[in-house]
Amino acid sequence: MTLTQAEADAFGAELDALRNEVLADLGERDAAHIRRVVRLSRGSAIAGRSLLMFGFDPLSWTLGVGALTIAKILENMEIGHNVMHGQYDWMNDPTLDSQTYEWDIVCDSGSWRHYHNYEHHTFTNIVGRDRDVGYGLLRISPEQYWHPKHLVQPISNVMLSALFQWGVGLHGLDLTRALRGKTSRARLRRESRAFVRKAARQLAKDYVFFPLLALGNAPRVFVGNLTANLIRNVWTNVIIFCGHFPEGARVYTREETRNESRGAWYLRQLQGSANIDGGPLFHVMTGHLSHQIEHHLFPDLPAHRYAEIAPRVRAICGKYGLPYNTGSFWRQYGSVLKKLFVYALPERTAAPAAA
Amino acid sequence: MQTATSFWTTPWLHPLNDVAAIDDLLAQLHPTWSLGRIKARVMRVVVETPDTKTFVLEPNRNWRGFRAGQHVGVEVEIAGVRYQRRYSLSSAPSAAPVIAITVKHQPGGKVSAWMHDHLHVGSALTLEPAAGSFTLPSPLPARILMLSAGSGITPVMSMLRALIASAAPLDVDFVHVVRRPENAVFAPELAHLAATVSGLRVHHYYSASGGRLDVPALTRLVPDCDECAVLLCGPTSFMTAFRPHFAGRLSEESFGAPIVAPDAASATAVEILCTRSERAFTASGDTPLLIAAERAGLRPRYGCRMGICHTCSCVKRSGTVENVLTRKLSSEPNERIQLCVSHARTDCTLDL
């Protein structure tokens, strides 16, 4: 689906107008929302860690893991990810400052700000420029070159999802590039030091510090924290994969995007992203990444606004005859899994044109 | 102290030492409880004139006191946005445990309007420590002329109150310029002090009837003003009128946006690279970097926008900027600069 230059400009102007409308309306309500989520996440973490530390029965363990998982998911997705996008910088609140926020995950926030906010959100879905296309591990579109490692990608995907925070953390180091010798030694040292320091802190917190605080309950806390991190990993992985990989989300080549206008940039963000249908609770638990389309059009608008403006974004898309990719969780994730199987194999190059 | 601080704030203890979280909880329990921040409760609101109010505040134990003439940072949140302003303290340090700020409702002023409308007895306010070098000279000069205009009276009033409280012998002329008698803050108290404190002479000068106060007019009010040590505070134009005359015997503080004469050489456009946001913008040499950055869609933090509070302070990685208040050039790499009063003189890289 492409637009003429004039259509793309008009499309971009309508989205710009929508964005400015929301920016002009930012205030109390947005501040109250993010602070409520922050308190919810903190409260949930305190409840979860206390249940793990002081309980002794399986029920309190399960509740504790659940509460800690919710705390981590909220902190990573609705707070950390969104705050670091600068969604709340207008508040001038140093605890919600995009440049200094540090999140509860092994990925160092400085490296995340660079490769996510800058690389991924600027060069979204451009094969070769946006490393989030398959994360250097998976082949999710025919435009990516096939490699024998892709044969096992249904399995590597399961492993990636279980260890997702490590994938997110290591992604910043860009090891494939480093292995090809294209990263300067100084840069590699600097970035790996930041990663190692952050990872050590996270490991110490969940697997040494809190278990030790629990004294005799140490094993219970250790396993509880491990489980909470695991569930958080799988959940974030699944939600994020539904953002750009479902059927209908397309990728771009560098040539296509040369000298791209603002309207064309918007168009690429729209066509490269996919939403998941759901209720308000579901949206918060995904950090509103279930509104991936709105997030990619407007990455620095407070995320809880996405659901409100979604009908209008959809109407604008309809006006220009553009598809708006949304569907149930199972439909979107199902199509991701299907792609993982289909593109595990190379294309039959000599396939005859459709008869 | 240094090691203690770093121990308690080390990320290895996180989240048990999450000060923001603990402060948030404390604030829910009691509006002025905080681990490290200065929170104050409004004890009294005095309507000084139709557009000026004095807020008498009782700060919590994190307040470290002040010297007469200094200003205090006030942080308020309006529609979800935090704003910082600095106001001169108008009370004397001896009034502890309470302090007072006197705030004029500026036309179009967001924060002063909010304070006038929303601060009542019992409200809580967040403060930053007192700062400022406009204080009583030490040792005290024998003859003092306190010369203020408009809101500039507040720090001078604090100094006068401090002088009187110190019970030292006084020889002070207090000259205050306002448009009309009804605009004169502290007028009843000043009249009372003039009548009861020996060695204090209070002169009000009304510019609506008398025209702008200048050196000859001042000499008519205080014939020996040339022998006084002068404490001067007022708007920029007022300061400019007296600064040359009293050069060498002057302590001063001005408020209001700095006026910059743009000259052809400094008005050239330069390229500013921002390392954190990975953005670039063009700034002309006669625009403060803060404004140029905002025009480019960046949103640097700021407070006073006139070079006092350092909220917009940012590390300059390379390039040369001129501080238009001090006329100092900063060319060293990795110097902190104040965006609101710095004009770029060469291409720069900022940690923004």
Side-chain angles (χ1 to χ4, degrees), chain B residues 80-92:
Chain B
V81 184
R82 286 196 187 173
Y83 295 90
Q84 287 184 339
R85 293 288 184 276
R86 295 207 71 98
Y87 292 104
S88 292
L89 289 147
S90 52
S91 57

PDB file of all heavy atoms in Angstrom, chain B residues 80-92:
ATOM      1  N   GLY B  80       0.039  18.953  36.573  1.00  0.00           N
ATOM      2  CA  GLY B  80       0.964  17.854  36.311  1.00  0.00           C
ATOM      3  C   GLY B  80       2.384  18.278  36.008  1.00  0.00           C
ATOM      4  O   GLY B  80       3.269  17.451  35.901  1.00  0.00           O
ATOM      5  N   VAL B  81       2.633  19.568  35.844  1.00  0.00           N
ATOM      6  CA  VAL B  81       3.961  20.047  35.466  1.00  0.00           C
ATOM      7  C   VAL B  81       4.623  20.713  36.666  1.00  0.00           C
ATOM      8  O   VAL B  81       4.006  21.551  37.327  1.00  0.00           O
ATOM      9  CB  VAL B  81       3.883  21.053  34.302  1.00  0.00           C
ATOM     10  CG1 VAL B  81       5.282  21.456  33.858  1.00  0.00           C
ATOM     11  CG2 VAL B  81       3.102  20.469  33.145  1.00  0.00           C
ATOM     12  N   ARG B  82       5.880  20.314  36.934  1.00  0.00           N
ATOM     13  CA  ARG B  82       6.608  20.955  38.031  1.00  0.00           C
ATOM     14  C   ARG B  82       7.304  22.203  37.534  1.00  0.00           C
ATOM     15  O   ARG B  82       7.945  22.181  36.489  1.00  0.00           O
ATOM     16  CB  ARG B  82       7.656  20.003  38.595  1.00  0.00           C
ATOM     17  CG  ARG B  82       7.010  18.931  39.406  1.00  0.00           C
ATOM     18  CD  ARG B  82       8.011  18.228  40.271  1.00  0.00           C
ATOM     19  NE  ARG B  82       7.332  17.100  40.894  1.00  0.00           N
ATOM     20  CZ  ARG B  82       7.944  16.184  41.610  1.00  0.00           C
ATOM     21  NH1 ARG B  82       9.240  16.269  41.792  1.00  0.00           N
ATOM     22  NH2 ARG B  82       7.263  15.198  42.147  1.00  0.00           N
ATOM     23  N   TYR B  83       7.175  23.273  38.300  1.00  0.00           N
ATOM     24  CA  TYR B  83       7.840  24.527  37.977  1.00  0.00           C
ATOM     25  C   TYR B  83       8.706  24.918  39.158  1.00  0.00           C
ATOM     26  O   TYR B  83       8.326  24.683  40.306  1.00  0.00           O
ATOM     27  CB  TYR B  83       6.829  25.644  37.730  1.00  0.00           C
ATOM     28  CG  TYR B  83       5.951  25.429  36.526  1.00  0.00           C
ATOM     29  CD1 TYR B  83       4.739  24.762  36.654  1.00  0.00           C
ATOM     30  CD2 TYR B  83       6.333  25.888  35.276  1.00  0.00           C
ATOM     31  CE1 TYR B  83       3.926  24.560  35.557  1.00  0.00           C
ATOM     32  CE2 TYR B  83       5.528  25.694  34.173  1.00  0.00           C
ATOM     33  CZ  TYR B  83       4.324  25.023  34.309  1.00  0.00           C
ATOM     34  OH  TYR B  83       3.523  24.823  33.228  1.00  0.00           O
ATOM     35  N   GLN B  84       9.848  25.511  38.853  1.00  0.00           N
ATOM     36  CA  GLN B  84      10.692  26.019  39.922  1.00  0.00           C
ATOM     37  C   GLN B  84      10.899  27.501  39.721  1.00  0.00           C
ATOM     38  O   GLN B  84      11.166  27.951  38.620  1.00  0.00           O
ATOM     39  CB  GLN B  84      12.040  25.300  39.929  1.00  0.00           C
ATOM     40  CG  GLN B  84      11.907  23.881  40.438  1.00  0.00           C
ATOM     41  CD  GLN B  84      13.231  23.171  40.547  1.00  0.00           C
ATOM     42  OE1 GLN B  84      14.194  23.558  39.903  1.00  0.00           O
ATOM     43  NE2 GLN B  84      13.282  22.137  41.345  1.00  0.00           N
ATOM     44  N   ARG B  85      10.759  28.224  40.778  1.00  0.00           N
ATOM     45  CA  ARG B  85      11.024  29.657  40.757  1.00  0.00           C
ATOM     46  C   ARG B  85      11.846  29.979  41.986  1.00  0.00           C
ATOM     47  O   ARG B  85      11.833  29.235  42.960  1.00  0.00           O
ATOM     48  CB  ARG B  85       9.715  30.463  40.815  1.00  0.00           C
ATOM     49  CG  ARG B  85       8.839  30.335  39.599  1.00  0.00           C
ATOM     50  CD  ARG B  85       9.425  31.080  38.401  1.00  0.00           C
ATOM     51  NE  ARG B  85       8.523  31.019  37.261  1.00  0.00           N
ATOM     52  CZ  ARG B  85       8.473  30.006  36.392  1.00  0.00           C
ATOM     53  NH1 ARG B  85       9.277  28.964  36.551  1.00  0.00           N
ATOM     54  NH2 ARG B  85       7.636  30.026  35.388  1.00  0.00           N
ATOM     55  N   ARG B  86      12.524  31.125  41.934  1.00  0.00           N
ATOM     56  CA  ARG B  86      13.238  31.541  43.133  1.00  0.00           C
ATOM     57  C   ARG B  86      12.628  32.842  43.621  1.00  0.00           C
ATOM     58  O   ARG B  86      12.354  33.739  42.829  1.00  0.00           O
ATOM     59  CB  ARG B  86      14.734  31.692  42.843  1.00  0.00           C
ATOM     60  CG  ARG B  86      15.376  30.355  42.479  1.00  0.00           C
ATOM     61  CD  ARG B  86      16.845  30.299  42.812  1.00  0.00           C
ATOM     62  NE  ARG B  86      17.107  30.235  44.238  1.00  0.00           N
ATOM     63  CZ  ARG B  86      17.358  29.105  44.920  1.00  0.00           C
ATOM     64  NH1 ARG B  86      17.377  27.953  44.302  1.00  0.00           N
ATOM     65  NH2 ARG B  86      17.603  29.143  46.207  1.00  0.00           N
ATOM     66  N   TYR B  87      12.376  32.901  44.915  1.00  0.00           N
ATOM     67  CA  TYR B  87      11.837  34.113  45.521  1.00  0.00           C
ATOM     68  C   TYR B  87      12.746  34.543  46.661  1.00  0.00           C
ATOM     69  O   TYR B  87      13.211  33.705  47.444  1.00  0.00           O
ATOM     70  CB  TYR B  87      10.420  33.865  46.062  1.00  0.00           C
ATOM     71  CG  TYR B  87       9.403  33.629  44.969  1.00  0.00           C
ATOM     72  CD1 TYR B  87       8.941  32.353  44.691  1.00  0.00           C
ATOM     73  CD2 TYR B  87       8.936  34.690  44.206  1.00  0.00           C
ATOM     74  CE1 TYR B  87       8.023  32.134  43.673  1.00  0.00           C
ATOM     75  CE2 TYR B  87       8.018  34.487  43.186  1.00  0.00           C
ATOM     76  CZ  TYR B  87       7.564  33.207  42.929  1.00  0.00           C
ATOM     77  OH  TYR B  87       6.663  33.001  41.916  1.00  0.00           O
ATOM     78  N   SER B  88      12.959  35.852  46.745  1.00  0.00           N
ATOM     79  CA  SER B  88      13.750  36.348  47.865  1.00  0.00           C
ATOM     80  C   SER B  88      12.971  36.154  49.151  1.00  0.00           C
ATOM     81  O   SER B  88      11.754  36.328  49.180  1.00  0.00           O
ATOM     82  CB  SER B  88      14.032  37.837  47.682  1.00  0.00           C
ATOM     83  OG  SER B  88      14.893  38.024  46.594  1.00  0.00           O
ATOM     84  N   LEU B  89      13.680  35.784  50.194  1.00  0.00           N
ATOM     85  CA  LEU B  89      13.040  35.689  51.501  1.00  0.00           C
ATOM     86  C   LEU B  89      12.877  37.103  52.030  1.00  0.00           C
ATOM     87  O   LEU B  89      13.794  37.923  51.921  1.00  0.00           O
ATOM     88  CB  LEU B  89      13.908  34.849  52.429  1.00  0.00           C
ATOM     89  CG  LEU B  89      13.897  33.368  52.047  1.00  0.00           C
ATOM     90  CD1 LEU B  89      15.224  32.708  52.336  1.00  0.00           C
ATOM     91  CD2 LEU B  89      12.769  32.655  52.782  1.00  0.00           C
ATOM     92  N   SER B  90      11.703  37.417  52.576  1.00  0.00           N
ATOM     93  CA  SER B  90      11.498  38.785  53.064  1.00  0.00           C
ATOM     94  C   SER B  90      11.615  38.863  54.577  1.00  0.00           C
ATOM     95  O   SER B  90      11.718  39.943  55.140  1.00  0.00           O
ATOM     96  CB  SER B  90      10.129  39.306  52.610  1.00  0.00           C
ATOM     97  OG  SER B  90       9.110  38.401  52.965  1.00  0.00           O
ATOM     98  N   SER B  91      11.626  37.709  55.245  1.00  0.00           N
ATOM     99  CA  SER B  91      11.745  37.727  56.702  1.00  0.00           C
ATOM    100  C   SER B  91      13.218  37.780  57.099  1.00  0.00           C
ATOM    101  O   SER B  91      14.099  37.561  56.276  1.00  0.00           O
ATOM    102  CB  SER B  91      11.114  36.456  57.282  1.00  0.00           C
ATOM    103  OG  SER B  91      11.738  35.320  56.719  1.00  0.00           O
ATOM    104  N   ALA B  92      13.465  38.039  58.364  1.00  0.00           N
ATOM    105  CA  ALA B  92      14.840  38.003  58.866  1.00  0.00           C
ATOM    106  C   ALA B  92      15.139  36.586  59.340  1.00  0.00           C
ATOM    107  O   ALA B  92      14.244  35.876  59.778  1.00  0.00           O
ATOM    108  CB  ALA B  92      14.992  38.978  60.027  1.00  0.00           C
TER     109      ALA B  92
END
